[in-house]
Amino acid sequence: DTGVSQDPRHKITKRGQNVTFRCDPISEHNRLYWYRQTLGQGPEFLTYFQNEAQLEKSRLLSDRFSAERPKGSFSTLEIQRTEQGDSAMYLCASSLYRGSSSTDTQYFGPGTRLTVL
Amino acid sequence: KQEVTQIPAALSVPEGENLVLNCSFTDSAIYNLQWFRQDPGKGLTSLLLIQSSQREQTSGRLNASLDKSSGRSTLYIAASQPGDSATYLCAVRRSNFGNEKLTFGTGTRLTIIP
């Protein structure tokens, strides 16, 4: 399968624990996005990378959240000291950006569902 | 701040009927609008993307229209099938440089009754 993959698909943790999610984008895609989706809501933007550079971060991304894309390929999203309000689906998307004159469509992965007890 | 609204939140129709899903957005300065499908517990599948300069896009039984000046888009599904049951999300993108994030609506949960 050459789509966006995410691991794990499900994560249950206790409040206060740290969790890390991984996203593997489509291989030639230079942009990678993270979104969070709570029940009954649409996804909300968290952050995105172009290659290894993190270009934008949402105010939703508190100090407990950190994202990396060290080699411009896969990305990790870490949540420290998890809270019950962090329970959500975390979606990753990737795209191939060729410059401002073209449109890069975002392709989404299956998501990681986080439950904080 | 861009706000995207989808009404109704849920819709049930008998199989075979044509239907329209609505999406409205508050800031008409968009680069494009995209319709997605999401099955329960799954990620998003892109259905149609309309550039701001376009009025509509078609794919099979799906037709999406865009009226940027009034801040509205519709997704028309012809001859609905049970397999069309899913949540449909619209998302707008402000620009192609410097503000690439998608702003999503809350979705319409569609149920096709066999």
Side-chain angles (χ1 to χ4, degrees), chain A residues 31 37 48 100 102-104, chain B residues 38 51 93 96 100 102 105:
Chain A
R31 283 189 171 174
Q37 184 179 26
Y48 91 97
S100 59
S102 63
T103 297
D104 57 310
Chain B
Q38 186 173 33
Q51 298 285 36
R93 181 165 169 175
N96 202 35
E100 286 79 356
L102 296 177

Side-chain angles (χ1 to χ4, degrees), chain A residues 9 31 33 35 37 40-43 45 48 56 89 91 97 99-106 108-111 113, chain B residues 1 31-32 34 36 38 41-46 49 51 89 93 96-107:
Chain A
R9 296 291 307 277
R31 283 189 171 174
Y33 302 78
Y35 292 84
Q37 184 179 26
Q41 300 297 312
F45 170 80
Y48 91 97
E56 187 177 353
M89 174 81 87
L91 294 164
Y97 179 71
S100 59
S101 61
S102 63
T103 297
D104 57 310
T105 301
Q106 295 180 27
F108 282 78
R113 179 166 296 284
Chain B
K1 177 188 173 186
Y31 181 73
N32 61 39
Q34 203 164 355
F36 293 87
Q38 186 173 33
K42 302 290 180 61
L44 280 66
T45 301
S46 179
L49 183 149
Q51 298 285 36
L89 295 153
R93 181 165 169 175
N96 202 35
F97 181 77
N99 223 330
E100 286 79 356
K101 68 180 181 184
L102 296 177
T103 301
F104 285 85
T106 53

